[in-house]
Amino acid sequence: EPEVTQTPSHQVTQMGQEVILRCVPISNHLYFYWYRQILGQKVEFLVSFYNNEISEKSEIFDDQFSVERPDGSNFTLKIRSTKLEDSAMYFCASSAGAPRGEQYFGPGTRLTVT
Amino acid sequence: DAKTTQPNSMESNEEEPVHLPCNHSTISGTDYIHWYRQLPSQGPEYVIHGLTSNVNNRMASLAIAEDRKSSTLILHRATLRDAAVYYCILRDSDSNYQLIWGAGTKLIIKP
């Protein structure tokens, strides 16, 4: 069964460093998303991406964040200058066709900022 | 997106049916009812969704009240692997892309 994959599974970085989180969505999906979940808290939407551009973003997704689909398979989230409060699980998701269709999530990347 | 209300937690015995309720009294006519779950230390997982009629799939059934102000996710025979947080989410058929998550219901399965 096709699945969303994410790398790395755990990333440790120092405050102020740049990190890139990588995702490979399901191959025939057209809509891509990033969410995050701070330990013990709710899942929060960051951004959605369709047709090579951001279709929606939350207030969390400020100028420190960017997304890219550099080739036909990868979808990346970059955080330019990490802060302690960026420590969280980051989940990538993808969906086929309709934006309101079911979303399929990857296993997540645990980002730890020290 | 309209708001949903779910119990914080529920307990059930293994191999018994589980009914997880969700109230969404402010639902609009174009809102779909989606359910996701998150197993411990895993990413969220799609379970089922519906608009007006009851829905069944290999994972669960979704029973939607006639006035659509509430719904119930039914796991017909819970196993220990079904222990997770279950989220009820409303999605407007015309609108945005994001899923807006509440706190969900933590389902505890007792062996």
Side-chain angles (χ1 to χ4, degrees):
Chain A
E1 188 171 318
E3 59 182 17
V4 176
T5 59
Q6 291 185 242
T7 54
S9 57
H10 190 190
Q11 173 91 46
V12 181
T13 189
Q14 289 191 325
M15 197 166 50
Q17 295 297 305
E18 174 184 287
V19 293
I20 298 176
L21 309 183
R22 292 183 166 79
C23 168
V24 179
I26 294 173
S27 63
N28 62 345
H29 283 187
L30 301 176
Y31 297 84
F32 313 111
Y33 314 83
W34 283 100
Y35 293 82
R36 79 172 186 189
Q37 187 174 32
I38 295 170
L39 186 63
Q41 297 187 24
K42 298 177 188 177
V43 177
E44 300 173 290
F45 169 77
L46 293 178
V47 66
S48 61
F49 193 85
Y50 169 69
N51 201 24
N52 283 320
E53 60 182 26
I54 291 173
S55 43
E56 191 174 30
K57 62 182 181 179
S58 71
E59 291 179 356
I60 302 168
F61 194 87
D62 60 22
D63 291 344
Q64 292 300 311
F65 291 87
S66 62
V67 288
E68 194 179 26
R69 189 154 160 81
D71 52 42
S73 59
N74 290 285
F75 180 50
T76 62
L77 174 70
K78 182 193 288 187
I79 309 174
R80 284 189 187 80
S81 178
T82 50
K83 307 192 246 316
L84 293 176
E85 53 265 38
D86 293 327
S87 295
M89 282 291 289
Y90 287 80
F91 296 108
C92 173
S94 68
S95 66
R100 63 188 175 277
E102 54 266 33
Q103 296 181 13
Y104 294 88
F105 286 77
T109 293
R110 177 171 299 283
L111 177 64
T112 302
V113 182
T114 62
Chain B
D1 291 282
K3 186 176 165 61
T4 62
T5 305
Q6 298 177 253
N8 290 334
S9 66
M10 290 183 64
E11 284 190 3
S12 181
N13 294 319
E14 195 178 10
E15 298 188 6
E16 289 186 357
V18 179
H19 292 234
L20 295 163
C22 181
N23 286 318
H24 28 78
S25 58
T26 59
I27 191 170
S28 75
T30 54
D31 283 339
Y32 281 77
I33 302 158
H34 281 241
W35 284 82
Y36 284 76
R37 72 180 185 180
Q38 188 173 21
L39 279 64
S41 302
Q42 294 191 28
E45 177 184 26
Y46 167 78
V47 178
I48 200 166
H49 76 282
L51 183 62
T52 55
S53 305
N54 295 345
V55 184
N56 300 296
N57 67 19
R58 63 177 178 82
M59 288 183 71
S61 296
L62 176 60
I64 301 172
E66 202 169 321
D67 64 5
R68 301 205 330 122
K69 292 181 188 244
S70 65
S71 61
T72 303
L73 180 71
I74 302 165
L75 307 179
H76 294 285
R77 195 164 163 267
T79 69
L80 295 176
R81 291 174 54 190
D82 292 318
V85 179
Y86 286 78
Y87 300 93
C88 170
I89 299 170
L90 300 184
R91 302 198 71 197
D92 189 328
S93 64
D94 290 327
S95 90
N96 48 33
Y97 299 77
Q98 61 179 286
L99 292 170
I100 298 178
W101 303 76
T105 296
K106 182 175 182 178
L107 177 63
I108 299 163
I109 305 295
K110 296 181 288 185

